[in-house]
Amino acid sequence: QVQLVESGGGLVQAGGSLRLSCAASGSIFSINAMGWYRQAPGKQRELVAAITGGGSTNYADSVRGRFTISRDNAKNTVYLQMNSLKPEDTAVYYCNADVWDIATRRNNYWGQGTQVTVSS
């Protein structure tokens, strides 16, 4: 089994910054893509940013230029640096990972979510 544990959420004023972390643990052989999604009240979950095992990145238009995704493959950890935060960034942020486990099974995993609240 594989677990994803997020940290770093909280309350910040508009224009501020936060850094989210997500550490994967368990029976991991390798991790392919990792990403961050968010879900605001009454809205569907949406992709914020993703990063492949090779380091290629993809961003939602709404965060490009403000957010940066990165990963530390040695630590099985993905990060999301969020700068110039806006009230519309308020949401629960979820980590996602595409994992090959040690039994050579490929599965997609989600973290439990971390709340980010941006006050105006």
Side-chain angles (χ1 to χ4, degrees):
Q1 189 63 297
V2 174
Q3 299 82 37
L4 302 181
V5 178
E6 298 129 334
S7 60
L11 173 64
V12 64
Q13 288 188 331
S17 298
L18 284 173
R19 188 190 194 212
L20 305 183
S21 300
C22 172
S25 63
S27 304
I28 298 169
F29 177 73
S30 67
I31 302 178
N32 301 317
M34 302 184 81
W36 290 95
Y37 290 72
R38 67 187 181 187
Q39 187 166 18
K43 295 187 177 181
Q44 289 188 329
R45 190 174 297 188
E46 63 175 357
L47 174 69
V48 176
I51 184 167
T52 67
S56 297
T57 58
N58 181 44
Y59 295 94
D61 289 342
S62 59
V63 307
R64 188 174 291 112
R66 300 187 296 121
F67 291 10
T68 302
I69 190 170
S70 61
R71 64 190 285 173
D72 184 333
N73 291 329
K75 296 181 179 180
N76 290 331
T77 299
V78 62
Y79 306 96
L80 186 68
Q81 178 66 44
M82 304 185 293
N83 298 328
S84 302
L85 282 160
K86 304 176 181 180
E88 51 263 43
D89 294 318
T90 295
V92 178
Y93 284 69
Y94 296 92
C95 174
N96 178 270
D98 182 31
V99 179
W100 284 98
D101 67 21
I102 59 176
T104 67
R105 294 171 299 193
R106 183 177 179 179
N107 285 297
N108 190 265
Y109 294 92
W110 291 92
Q112 81 283 0
T114 185
Q115 177 71 45
V116 171
T117 303
V118 184
S119 63
S120 58

